[in-house]
Amino acid sequence: FGDGSAVATYNLDGNANDLGGAYNGTIVGSGSTVTYPAGKFGNAMYLQGTGSTRMQLGSGISLALQATSFTLNFWVNYIGTGYNSSYFNIATGSGTYTSGDYNQLDIVLGNGNINVAGKRGVYTDANEKFSIGSTSIIGTGFRMGTAVLDATSGDVIFYIDGKEIDRKSGYFVGGLTNSGTPDSDCFIGNHPNTWWNDVQYDQVRIFNRALTPTEITALYNETPPVDVFPKWQLPKAPFADGSTDE
Protein backbone atom coordinates (compact mmCIF):
# COMPACT_ATOMS: atom_id res chain seq x y z
CA PHE A 1 0.00 0.00 0.00
CA GLY A 2 3.03 2.25 -0.23
CA ASP A 3 3.06 3.18 3.47
CA GLY A 4 5.76 0.82 4.73
CA SER A 5 3.28 -1.33 6.66
CA ALA A 6 4.23 -4.58 4.89
CA VAL A 7 6.48 -6.38 7.37
CA ALA A 8 7.01 -9.40 5.12
CA THR A 9 5.79 -10.70 1.75
CA TYR A 10 6.33 -14.30 0.67
CA ASN A 11 5.54 -14.86 -3.01
CA LEU A 12 6.57 -18.53 -2.69
CA ASP A 13 7.65 -18.69 -6.31
CA GLY A 14 10.14 -21.49 -5.75
CA ASN A 15 11.53 -20.49 -2.35
CA ALA A 16 10.61 -19.15 1.10
CA ASN A 17 12.26 -15.74 0.76
CA ASP A 18 10.71 -12.51 2.00
CA LEU A 19 10.37 -10.08 -0.91
CA GLY A 20 11.91 -7.34 1.25
CA GLY A 21 14.70 -9.60 2.46
CA ALA A 22 14.29 -8.86 6.19
CA TYR A 23 12.46 -12.04 7.24
CA ASN A 24 13.42 -14.82 4.84
CA GLY A 25 11.70 -18.07 5.71
CA THR A 26 13.27 -21.49 6.17
CA ILE A 27 11.77 -24.89 5.38
CA VAL A 28 12.06 -27.00 8.55
CA GLY A 29 10.61 -30.26 9.85
CA SER A 30 10.35 -33.48 7.91
CA GLY A 31 7.98 -35.89 6.23
CA SER A 32 6.02 -33.78 3.76
CA THR A 33 7.07 -33.14 0.18
CA VAL A 34 7.60 -29.45 -0.64
CA THR A 35 7.08 -28.40 -4.25
CA TYR A 36 6.22 -25.15 -6.02
CA PRO A 37 3.59 -25.87 -8.71
CA ALA A 38 1.36 -23.28 -10.36
CA GLY A 39 -0.56 -21.23 -7.80
CA LYS A 40 -2.82 -18.20 -7.59
CA PHE A 41 0.03 -15.81 -8.44
CA GLY A 42 2.80 -17.55 -10.34
CA ASN A 43 3.84 -20.56 -8.25
CA ALA A 44 2.76 -21.63 -4.76
CA MET A 45 4.28 -23.67 -1.94
CA TYR A 46 2.65 -27.11 -1.80
CA LEU A 47 3.03 -29.25 1.33
CA GLN A 48 1.92 -32.77 0.52
CA GLY A 49 1.93 -35.89 2.68
CA THR A 50 2.42 -36.66 6.35
CA GLY A 51 4.98 -34.90 8.51
CA SER A 52 5.89 -31.72 10.34
CA THR A 53 7.26 -29.81 7.34
CA ARG A 54 6.57 -26.09 7.52
CA MET A 55 7.98 -22.70 6.55
CA GLN A 56 9.40 -21.05 9.65
CA LEU A 57 9.19 -17.28 9.33
CA GLY A 58 12.29 -15.12 9.55
CA SER A 59 14.19 -14.46 12.76
CA GLY A 60 12.76 -11.48 14.64
CA ILE A 61 9.25 -11.64 13.17
CA SER A 62 7.74 -12.34 16.60
CA LEU A 63 9.32 -9.26 18.13
CA ALA A 64 8.21 -7.12 15.17
CA LEU A 65 4.56 -8.02 15.84
CA GLN A 66 4.48 -7.61 19.63
CA ALA A 67 2.28 -4.91 21.19
CA THR A 68 0.99 -3.66 17.84
CA SER A 69 -1.88 -4.15 15.46
CA PHE A 70 -1.18 -6.50 12.57
CA THR A 71 -2.79 -8.31 9.65
CA LEU A 72 -2.12 -11.82 8.32
CA ASN A 73 -3.15 -12.37 4.70
CA PHE A 74 -2.66 -15.31 2.35
CA TRP A 75 -4.14 -17.37 -0.46
CA VAL A 76 -4.69 -21.05 0.30
CA ASN A 77 -5.84 -24.07 -1.67
CA TYR A 78 -7.03 -26.75 0.76
CA ILE A 79 -6.60 -29.93 -1.27
CA GLY A 80 -6.82 -32.81 1.20
CA THR A 81 -7.33 -33.45 4.90
CA GLY A 82 -4.71 -35.24 6.94
CA TYR A 83 -4.30 -35.39 10.70
CA ASN A 84 -5.46 -32.54 12.94
CA SER A 85 -4.55 -29.06 11.61
CA SER A 86 -2.13 -26.89 9.63
CA TYR A 87 -1.47 -23.25 10.48
CA PHE A 88 -0.46 -19.70 9.65
CA ASN A 89 0.77 -19.10 13.19
CA ILE A 90 2.12 -16.02 15.02
CA ALA A 91 3.16 -16.34 18.68
CA THR A 92 4.85 -14.27 21.36
CA GLY A 93 5.63 -15.03 24.97
CA SER A 94 8.09 -16.34 27.48
CA GLY A 95 6.60 -19.84 27.49
CA THR A 96 5.81 -22.44 24.84
CA TYR A 97 2.64 -23.67 23.15
CA THR A 98 2.07 -26.22 25.92
CA SER A 99 3.40 -24.43 29.00
CA GLY A 100 4.07 -21.04 30.51
CA ASP A 101 2.92 -17.58 29.47
CA TYR A 102 2.18 -17.53 25.77
CA ASN A 103 0.16 -15.45 23.27
CA GLN A 104 -0.88 -16.73 19.87
CA LEU A 105 -3.00 -15.83 16.85
CA ASP A 106 -3.35 -18.18 13.91
CA ILE A 107 -5.36 -19.05 10.82
CA VAL A 108 -6.15 -22.75 11.17
CA LEU A 109 -6.82 -25.38 8.50
CA GLY A 110 -8.36 -28.61 9.77
CA ASN A 111 -11.12 -31.10 8.94
CA GLY A 112 -11.71 -29.34 5.64
CA ASN A 113 -12.38 -25.99 7.35
CA ILE A 114 -10.60 -22.69 7.86
CA ASN A 115 -10.97 -20.60 11.03
CA VAL A 116 -9.10 -18.12 13.20
CA ALA A 117 -8.01 -19.04 16.71
CA GLY A 118 -6.16 -17.31 19.52
CA LYS A 119 -5.00 -17.73 23.08
CA ARG A 120 -3.30 -15.76 25.79
CA GLY A 121 -1.67 -16.53 29.09
CA VAL A 122 -1.27 -19.98 30.55
CA TYR A 123 -1.86 -22.81 28.10
CA THR A 124 -3.96 -24.89 30.49
CA ASP A 125 -6.53 -22.12 31.06
CA ALA A 126 -9.36 -23.12 28.71
CA ASN A 127 -11.11 -19.79 29.28
CA GLU A 128 -8.24 -17.99 27.58
CA LYS A 129 -8.76 -19.52 24.15
CA PHE A 130 -11.13 -18.75 21.29
CA SER A 131 -11.99 -19.94 17.78
CA ILE A 132 -14.15 -18.05 15.28
CA GLY A 133 -15.58 -18.33 11.79
CA SER A 134 -15.13 -22.00 10.92
CA THR A 135 -15.93 -22.35 7.20
CA SER A 136 -15.56 -25.30 4.82
CA ILE A 137 -13.19 -24.51 1.95
CA ILE A 138 -11.74 -27.89 0.98
CA GLY A 139 -11.84 -28.58 -2.75
CA THR A 140 -12.93 -25.04 -3.63
CA GLY A 141 -9.63 -23.84 -5.15
CA PHE A 142 -7.62 -20.88 -3.94
CA ARG A 143 -9.34 -18.78 -1.26
CA MET A 144 -8.03 -15.67 0.48
CA GLY A 145 -7.89 -15.74 4.27
CA THR A 146 -7.24 -12.64 6.39
CA ALA A 147 -6.93 -12.20 10.14
CA VAL A 148 -6.80 -8.66 11.54
CA LEU A 149 -5.72 -7.91 15.11
CA ASP A 150 -6.59 -4.37 16.21
CA ALA A 151 -4.45 -3.65 19.29
CA THR A 152 -6.49 -0.55 20.19
CA SER A 153 -9.92 -2.20 20.36
CA GLY A 154 -8.56 -5.69 21.00
CA ASP A 155 -10.77 -7.03 18.22
CA VAL A 156 -9.77 -9.97 16.04
CA ILE A 157 -11.59 -9.94 12.69
CA PHE A 158 -11.67 -12.85 10.23
CA TYR A 159 -12.25 -12.40 6.48
CA ILE A 160 -12.63 -14.95 3.68
CA ASP A 161 -12.34 -13.70 0.10
CA GLY A 162 -12.47 -10.09 1.30
CA LYS A 163 -15.70 -10.47 3.32
CA GLU A 164 -15.94 -10.39 7.10
CA ILE A 165 -16.97 -13.80 8.43
CA ASP A 166 -16.69 -13.38 12.20
CA ARG A 167 -14.95 -11.44 14.97
CA LYS A 168 -13.85 -11.73 18.58
CA SER A 169 -14.28 -8.37 20.31
CA GLY A 170 -11.95 -6.88 22.90
CA TYR A 171 -9.71 -9.93 23.28
CA PHE A 172 -6.21 -8.65 22.48
CA VAL A 173 -6.15 -5.05 23.78
CA GLY A 174 -2.53 -3.98 23.47
CA GLY A 175 -1.79 -6.74 20.96
CA LEU A 176 0.34 -9.79 21.68
CA THR A 177 2.08 -8.32 24.69
CA ASN A 178 4.02 -11.08 26.42
CA SER A 179 7.79 -10.74 26.51
CA GLY A 180 9.98 -13.21 24.69
CA THR A 181 10.48 -13.97 21.02
CA PRO A 182 9.48 -17.57 20.16
CA ASP A 183 10.31 -17.31 16.46
CA SER A 184 10.19 -21.09 16.16
CA ASP A 185 6.43 -20.86 16.72
CA CYS A 186 5.91 -18.38 13.88
CA PHE A 187 5.33 -20.56 10.85
CA ILE A 188 3.15 -21.51 7.88
CA GLY A 189 2.31 -25.15 7.24
CA ASN A 190 2.25 -28.34 9.27
CA HIS A 191 2.48 -28.30 13.05
CA PRO A 192 5.72 -29.46 14.74
CA ASN A 193 3.65 -32.20 16.40
CA THR A 194 3.21 -33.79 12.93
CA TRP A 195 -0.26 -32.37 12.37
CA TRP A 196 -0.64 -32.04 8.62
CA ASN A 197 -2.88 -31.49 5.59
CA ASP A 198 -2.32 -31.30 1.83
CA VAL A 199 -2.34 -27.52 1.25
CA GLN A 200 -0.98 -24.95 -1.20
CA TYR A 201 0.02 -21.54 0.17
CA ASP A 202 0.55 -18.45 -1.98
CA GLN A 203 1.09 -14.68 -1.73
CA VAL A 204 1.58 -14.57 2.04
CA ARG A 205 1.65 -11.07 3.52
CA ILE A 206 2.11 -9.69 7.03
CA PHE A 207 1.32 -6.04 7.83
CA ASN A 208 2.10 -4.15 11.05
CA ARG A 209 -1.29 -2.48 11.21
CA ALA A 210 -4.96 -3.39 11.00
CA LEU A 211 -5.96 -3.25 7.34
CA THR A 212 -9.34 -1.70 6.59
CA PRO A 213 -12.16 -3.61 4.89
CA THR A 214 -11.55 -1.56 1.74
CA GLU A 215 -7.86 -2.52 1.69
CA ILE A 216 -8.67 -6.19 2.22
CA THR A 217 -11.14 -6.06 -0.66
CA ALA A 218 -8.40 -4.51 -2.81
CA LEU A 219 -6.08 -7.43 -1.99
CA TYR A 220 -8.82 -9.89 -2.94
CA ASN A 221 -9.42 -8.13 -6.26
CA GLU A 222 -5.71 -8.01 -7.09
CA THR A 223 -4.90 -9.83 -10.31
CA PRO A 224 -1.64 -11.47 -11.41
CA PRO A 225 0.50 -9.26 -13.65
CA VAL A 226 -0.10 -9.80 -17.34
CA ASP A 227 2.84 -10.28 -19.67
CA VAL A 228 1.66 -7.87 -22.37
CA PHE A 229 4.65 -8.58 -24.58
CA PRO A 230 5.90 -12.17 -24.31
CA LYS A 231 9.59 -12.38 -25.14
CA TRP A 232 8.93 -13.55 -28.69
CA GLN A 233 6.58 -10.60 -29.30
CA LEU A 234 8.61 -7.73 -27.89
CA PRO A 235 8.37 -4.62 -30.06
CA LYS A 236 11.45 -4.13 -32.18
CA ALA A 237 13.77 -1.39 -31.00
CA PRO A 238 14.54 1.16 -33.75
CA PHE A 239 18.11 2.05 -34.59
CA ALA A 240 19.27 5.60 -35.19
CA ASP A 241 18.47 5.36 -38.92
CA GLY A 242 14.88 4.29 -38.22
CA SER A 243 15.38 0.62 -39.05
CA THR A 244 14.69 -2.22 -36.60
CA ASP A 245 16.62 -5.28 -35.53
CA GLU A 246 14.50 -7.60 -37.67
Side-chain angles (χ1 to χ4, degrees):
F1 294 103
D3 60 357
S5 62
V7 175
T9 300
Y10 303 96
N11 289 340
L12 302 176
D13 287 333
N15 58 56
N17 291 342
D18 169 21
L19 192 62
Y23 298 104
N24 289 333
T26 305
I27 303 298
V28 299
S30 62
S32 303
T33 301
V34 182
T35 57
Y36 295 91
K40 178 69 176 180
F41 295 85
N43 298 100
M45 180 177 71
Y46 183 21
L47 300 181
Q48 184 178 19
T50 63
S52 60
T53 308
R54 58 202 181 278
M55 186 184 89
Q56 187 169 304
L57 304 181
S59 176
I61 193 78
S62 176
L63 184 62
L65 298 177
Q66 284 189 43
T68 187
S69 301
F70 64 82
T71 300
L72 310 179
N73 174 264
F74 70 164
W75 286 88
V76 60
N77 182 11
Y78 197 160
I79 296 171
T81 57
Y83 172 70
N84 211 306
S85 303
S86 302
Y87 298 86
F88 183 176
N89 192 76
I90 297 295
T92 68
S94 54
T96 68
Y97 181 78
T98 56
S99 65
D101 204 12
Y102 187 87
N103 280 353
Q104 168 189 356
L105 181 71
D106 48 19
I107 304 175
V108 185
L109 300 161
N111 298 316
N113 299 327
I114 186 172
N115 67 280
V116 165
K119 71 170 300 294
R120 62 189 178 194
V122 180
Y123 171 80
T124 54
D125 187 349
N127 295 323
E128 296 301 329
K129 304 174 187 177
F130 75 87
S131 177
I132 58 174
S134 183
T135 302
S136 177
I137 64 166
I138 192 167
T140 59
F142 274 97
R143 309 290 295 273
M144 192 183 83
T146 308
V148 175
L149 186 156
D150 187 324
T152 301
S153 66
D155 293 356
V156 175
I157 312 166
F158 179 36
Y159 299 79
I160 298 176
D161 296 340
K163 298 179 180 179
E164 182 177 335
I165 299 299
D166 203 354
R167 69 170 59 205
K168 177 71 172 179
S169 298
Y171 188 83
F172 276 126
V173 174
L176 303 183
T177 56
N178 288 355
S179 62
T181 56
D183 284 327
S184 62
D185 286 347
C186 296
F187 63 88
I188 298 167
N190 297 333
H191 194 276
N193 289 349
T194 317
W195 302 346
W196 60 276
N197 291 277
D198 287 345
V199 178
Q200 279 183 289
Y201 301 90
D202 202 1
Q203 203 75 351
V204 176
R205 292 169 165 142
I206 302 173
F207 299 87
N208 62 5
R209 63 179 177 87
L211 295 189
T212 67
T214 298
E215 290 170 329
I216 293 168
T217 298
L219 290 178
Y220 178 69
N221 290 329
E222 183 181 20
T223 56
V226 177
D227 190 355
V228 178
F229 292 109
K231 291 181 179 179
W232 62 89
Q233 295 179 357
L234 288 174
K236 304 303 180 180
F239 294 108
D241 62 359
S243 63
T244 71
D245 55 0
E246 291 186 307

